[in-house]
Coordinates of all heavy atoms in Angstrom, one line a residue:
L140 N -33.2 -0.1 195.1 CA -33.9 0.5 193.9 C -33.6 2.0 193.9 O -33.6 2.7 194.9 CB -35.4 0.3 194.1 CG -36.3 0.9 193.0 CD1 -36.7 -0.3 192.0 CD2 -37.5 1.6 193.5
T141 N -33.3 2.5 192.7 CA -33.1 4.0 192.6 C -34.1 4.6 191.6 O -34.5 3.9 190.6 CB -31.7 4.4 192.2 OG1 -31.3 3.8 191.0 CG2 -30.7 3.9 193.3
A142 N -34.4 5.8 191.8 CA -35.4 6.5 190.9 C -35.3 8.0 191.1 O -34.8 8.5 192.0 CB -36.8 6.0 191.2
V143 N -35.9 8.7 190.1 CA -36.0 10.1 190.1 C -37.5 10.4 190.1 O -38.3 9.8 189.3 CB -35.3 10.8 188.9 CG1 -35.6 12.3 188.8 CG2 -33.9 10.5 188.9
P144 N -38.0 11.4 191.0 CA -39.5 11.6 191.1 C -40.2 12.1 189.8 O -39.5 12.5 188.9 CB -39.6 12.6 192.2 CG -38.3 12.7 192.9 CD -37.3 12.2 191.9
I145 N -41.5 12.0 189.9 CA -42.3 12.5 188.8 C -42.0 14.0 188.5 O -41.6 14.8 189.4 CB -43.8 12.3 189.2 CG1 -44.7 12.5 188.0 CG2 -44.2 13.2 190.3 CD1 -45.8 11.6 187.8
C146 N -42.1 14.4 187.2 CA -41.9 15.7 186.8 C -40.4 16.2 187.0 O -40.1 17.4 187.2 CB -42.8 16.7 187.4 SG -44.5 16.5 187.0
D147 N -39.5 15.2 187.1 CA -38.1 15.5 187.3 C -37.2 14.7 186.3 O -37.4 13.5 186.3 CB -37.7 15.2 188.7 CG -36.4 15.9 189.1 OD1 -35.6 16.2 188.3 OD2 -36.2 16.1 190.4
G148 N -36.5 15.4 185.5 CA -35.6 14.7 184.5 C -34.2 14.7 184.9 O -33.3 14.3 184.1
H149 N -33.8 15.2 186.1 CA -32.4 15.3 186.5 C -31.9 13.9 186.8 O -31.9 13.5 188.0 CB -32.2 16.2 187.6 CG -32.4 17.7 187.3 ND1 -33.7 18.3 187.4 CD2 -31.6 18.6 186.9 CE1 -33.6 19.5 187.1 NE2 -32.3 19.8 186.7
I168 N -31.5 -1.8 191.1 CA -32.6 -1.8 190.1 C -32.9 -0.3 189.8 O -33.4 0.4 190.7 CB -33.8 -2.5 190.7 CG1 -33.4 -4.0 190.9 CG2 -35.0 -2.5 189.8 CD1 -33.4 -4.4 192.3
Y169 N -32.7 0.1 188.6 CA -32.9 1.5 188.3 C -34.3 1.6 187.6 O -34.5 1.0 186.6 CB -31.8 2.0 187.4 CG -32.0 3.5 187.0 CD1 -32.3 4.4 188.0 CD2 -31.9 3.9 185.7 CE1 -32.5 5.8 187.6 CE2 -32.1 5.2 185.3 CZ -32.4 6.2 186.3 OH -32.6 7.5 186.0
L170 N -35.1 2.5 188.2 CA -36.5 2.6 187.7 C -36.6 3.7 186.7 O -37.6 3.9 186.0 CB -37.4 2.9 188.9 CG -38.9 2.8 188.7 CD1 -39.3 1.4 188.1 CD2 -39.6 3.0 190.0
G171 N -35.6 4.6 186.6 CA -35.6 5.7 185.7 C -36.1 7.0 186.3 O -36.3 7.1 187.5
Y172 N -36.3 8.0 185.4 CA -36.8 9.3 185.9 C -38.3 9.5 185.7 O -38.9 8.7 185.0 CB -35.9 10.4 185.3 CG -35.9 10.5 183.8 CD1 -36.9 11.2 183.1 CD2 -34.9 9.9 183.1 CE1 -36.9 11.2 181.8 CE2 -34.9 9.9 181.7 CZ -35.9 10.6 181.0 OH -36.0 10.6 179.7
H173 N -38.8 10.6 186.2 CA -40.2 10.9 186.1 C -41.1 9.7 186.6 O -42.0 9.2 185.9 CB -40.5 11.2 184.6 CG -41.9 11.7 184.3 ND1 -42.5 12.6 185.1 CD2 -42.8 11.4 183.3 CE1 -43.7 12.8 184.6 NE2 -43.9 12.1 183.5
R174 N -40.8 9.3 187.8 CA -41.6 8.1 188.3 C -42.5 8.5 189.5 O -42.0 9.1 190.5 CB -40.6 7.1 188.8 CG -39.8 6.5 187.7 CD -40.7 5.9 186.6 NE -39.9 5.1 185.6 CZ -40.4 4.7 184.5 NH1 -41.6 4.9 184.1 NH2 -39.7 4.0 183.6
P175 N -43.8 8.2 189.4 CA -44.7 8.5 190.5 C -44.4 7.6 191.7 O -43.8 6.5 191.6 CB -46.1 8.2 189.9 CG -45.8 7.4 188.7 CD -44.4 7.6 188.3
V176 N -45.0 8.0 192.9 CA -44.8 7.3 194.1 C -45.2 5.8 194.0 O -44.5 4.9 194.4 CB -45.6 8.0 195.3 CG1 -45.6 7.2 196.5 CG2 -45.0 9.4 195.5
A177 N -46.4 5.6 193.4 CA -47.0 4.3 193.4 C -46.1 3.3 192.6 O -45.9 2.2 193.0 CB -48.4 4.3 192.7
D178 N -45.5 3.8 191.5 CA -44.6 3.0 190.7 C -43.3 2.6 191.5 O -42.8 1.5 191.4 CB -44.2 3.7 189.4 CG -45.3 3.7 188.4 OD1 -46.4 3.2 188.7 OD2 -45.1 4.2 187.2
I179 N -42.8 3.6 192.2 CA -41.6 3.3 193.0 C -41.9 2.3 194.1 O -41.1 1.3 194.2 CB -41.1 4.7 193.6 CG1 -40.6 5.6 192.5 CG2 -40.0 4.4 194.6 CD1 -40.2 7.0 193.0
V180 N -43.0 2.4 194.8 CA -43.3 1.5 195.9 C -43.6 0.1 195.3 O -43.2 -0.9 195.9 CB -44.4 2.1 196.8 CG1 -44.9 1.0 197.8 CG2 -44.0 3.3 197.5
R181 N -44.4 0.0 194.3 CA -44.7 -1.3 193.7 C -43.4 -2.0 193.3 O -43.2 -3.2 193.6 CB -45.6 -1.1 192.5 CG -46.1 -2.4 191.9 CD -46.7 -2.4 190.5 NE -47.8 -1.4 190.4 CZ -47.7 -0.3 189.8 NH1 -46.5 0.1 189.2 NH2 -48.7 0.6 189.7
A182 N -42.6 -1.2 192.6 CA -41.3 -1.9 192.1 C -40.4 -2.3 193.3 O -39.9 -3.4 193.3 CB -40.5 -0.9 191.3
I191 N -34.7 2.3 199.1 CA -35.0 3.1 197.9 C -34.2 4.3 197.9 O -34.2 5.1 198.9 CB -36.5 3.5 197.8 CG1 -37.4 2.2 197.8 CG2 -36.8 4.3 196.5 CD1 -38.9 2.6 198.0
G192 N -33.4 4.6 196.9 CA -32.6 5.8 196.8 C -33.2 6.7 195.8 O -33.3 6.4 194.6
I193 N -33.6 7.9 196.3 CA -34.3 8.9 195.4 C -33.5 10.1 195.2 O -32.9 10.7 196.1 CB -35.7 9.3 196.0 CG1 -36.6 8.1 196.2 CG2 -36.4 10.3 195.1 CD1 -37.8 8.4 197.0
S194 N -33.4 10.5 193.9 CA -32.6 11.7 193.6 C -33.6 12.8 193.1 O -34.2 12.6 192.0 CB -31.6 11.3 192.5 OG -30.7 12.4 192.3
S195 N -33.7 13.9 193.8 CA -34.8 14.8 193.5 C -34.3 16.2 193.4 O -33.6 16.7 194.3 CB -35.8 14.7 194.7 OG -36.7 15.8 194.6
F203 N -42.8 14.4 198.6 CA -42.6 13.2 197.8 C -41.9 12.1 198.6 O -42.4 10.9 198.6 CB -41.7 13.5 196.5 CG -41.7 12.4 195.5 CD1 -42.7 12.4 194.5 CD2 -40.8 11.4 195.6 CE1 -42.7 11.3 193.6 CE2 -40.8 10.3 194.6 CZ -41.8 10.3 193.7
F204 N -40.9 12.4 199.3 CA -40.2 11.3 200.1 C -41.1 10.8 201.1 O -41.2 9.6 201.4 CB -38.9 11.9 200.8 CG -37.7 11.9 199.9 CD1 -37.6 12.7 198.8 CD2 -36.6 11.1 200.1 CE1 -36.5 12.8 198.0 CE2 -35.4 11.1 199.4 CZ -35.4 12.0 198.3
A206 N -44.4 10.7 201.0 CA -45.4 9.9 200.4 C -44.9 8.5 200.1 O -45.6 7.5 200.3 CB -45.9 10.5 199.1
V207 N -43.6 8.4 199.8 CA -43.1 7.0 199.5 C -43.0 6.2 200.8 O -43.4 5.1 200.9 CB -41.6 7.1 198.9 CG1 -40.9 5.8 198.8 CG2 -41.7 7.8 197.5
T337 N -36.5 -5.8 175.8 CA -37.4 -5.2 176.8 C -38.5 -4.3 176.2 O -39.6 -4.3 176.7 CB -36.5 -4.3 177.8 OG1 -35.4 -5.1 178.2 CG2 -37.3 -3.8 179.0
D341 N -42.5 -5.0 176.7 CA -43.3 -3.9 177.3 C -44.5 -3.7 176.3 O -45.7 -3.5 176.8 CB -42.6 -2.6 177.5 CG -43.3 -1.7 178.4 OD1 -43.7 -2.2 179.5 OD2 -43.4 -0.5 178.1
G373 N -31.4 -2.7 184.7 CA -32.0 -1.5 184.1 C -33.2 -1.7 183.3 O -33.7 -0.7 182.7
D374 N -33.7 -2.9 183.2 CA -34.8 -3.1 182.3 C -36.1 -2.4 182.7 O -36.9 -2.0 181.8 CB -35.1 -4.6 182.1 CG -34.1 -5.3 181.2 OD1 -33.5 -4.6 180.3 OD2 -33.8 -6.5 181.4
R375 N -36.3 -2.2 183.9 CA -37.5 -1.4 184.4 C -37.5 0.0 183.9 O -38.6 0.6 183.7 CB -37.5 -1.4 185.9 CG -38.2 -2.6 186.5 CD -38.4 -2.4 188.0 NE -38.9 -3.6 188.7 CZ -40.2 -3.7 188.9 NH1 -41.1 -2.8 188.5 NH2 -40.7 -4.8 189.5
A376 N -36.4 0.6 183.7 CA -36.3 2.0 183.2 C -36.9 2.1 181.8 O -37.3 3.2 181.4 CB -34.9 2.5 183.2
T377 N -36.9 1.0 181.0 CA -37.4 1.0 179.6 C -38.9 0.7 179.6 O -39.6 0.9 178.6 CB -36.6 0.0 178.8 OG1 -35.2 0.1 179.0 CG2 -36.9 0.1 177.3
M378 N -39.4 0.1 180.7 CA -40.8 -0.3 180.8 C -41.7 0.8 181.1 O -41.5 1.5 182.1 CB -40.9 -1.4 181.9 CG -40.0 -2.6 181.7 SD -40.7 -3.6 180.4 CE -40.1 -5.2 180.8
I379 N -42.8 0.9 180.4 CA -43.8 1.9 180.7 C -45.1 1.2 181.1 O -45.6 1.3 182.1 CB -44.1 2.9 179.5 CG1 -42.7 3.6 179.1 CG2 -45.1 3.9 179.9 CD1 -42.8 4.2 177.8
N380 N -45.5 0.3 180.1 CA -46.8 -0.4 180.3 C -46.7 -1.4 181.4 O -47.7 -1.7 182.0 CB -47.2 -1.1 179.0 CG -47.2 -0.1 177.8 OD1 -47.9 0.9 177.9 ND2 -46.4 -0.4 176.8
S381 N -45.5 -1.9 181.7 CA -45.4 -2.9 182.7 C -45.4 -2.4 184.1 O -45.4 -3.1 185.1 CB -44.1 -3.7 182.5 OG -44.1 -4.2 181.2
Q382 N -45.5 -1.0 184.3 CA -45.6 -0.4 185.6 C -47.1 -0.5 185.9 O -47.8 0.5 185.8 CB -45.1 1.0 185.7 CG -43.8 1.3 185.0 CD -42.6 0.8 185.7 OE1 -42.7 0.5 186.9 NE2 -41.5 0.6 185.1
N383 N -47.6 -1.6 186.3 CA -49.0 -1.8 186.4 C -49.3 -2.8 187.5 O -48.5 -3.8 187.7 CB -49.5 -2.4 185.1 CG -51.0 -2.5 185.0 OD1 -51.7 -3.2 185.7 ND2 -51.6 -1.7 184.1
M388 N -43.0 -7.8 188.3 CA -41.7 -7.9 187.6 C -40.6 -8.1 188.6 O -40.6 -7.4 189.6 CB -41.5 -6.6 186.8 CG -40.1 -6.6 186.1 SD -40.0 -5.4 184.8 CE -38.3 -5.6 184.4

Side-chain angles (χ1 to χ4, degrees):
L140 180 99
T141 60
V143 175
I145 190 139
C146 297
D147 197 337
H149 289 91
I168 295 113
Y169 180 49
L170 193 57
Y172 58 86
H173 187 43
R174 295 304 190 190
V176 171
D178 285 3
I179 293 175
V180 170
R181 186 196 306 108
I191 303 171
I193 301 172
S194 189
S195 169
F203 192 88
F204 278 67
V207 172
T337 308
D341 198 48
D374 284 330
R375 271 185 183 269
T377 313
M378 302 285 207
I379 301 162
N380 306 304
S381 304
Q382 318 284 343
N383 186 295
M388 175 163 175

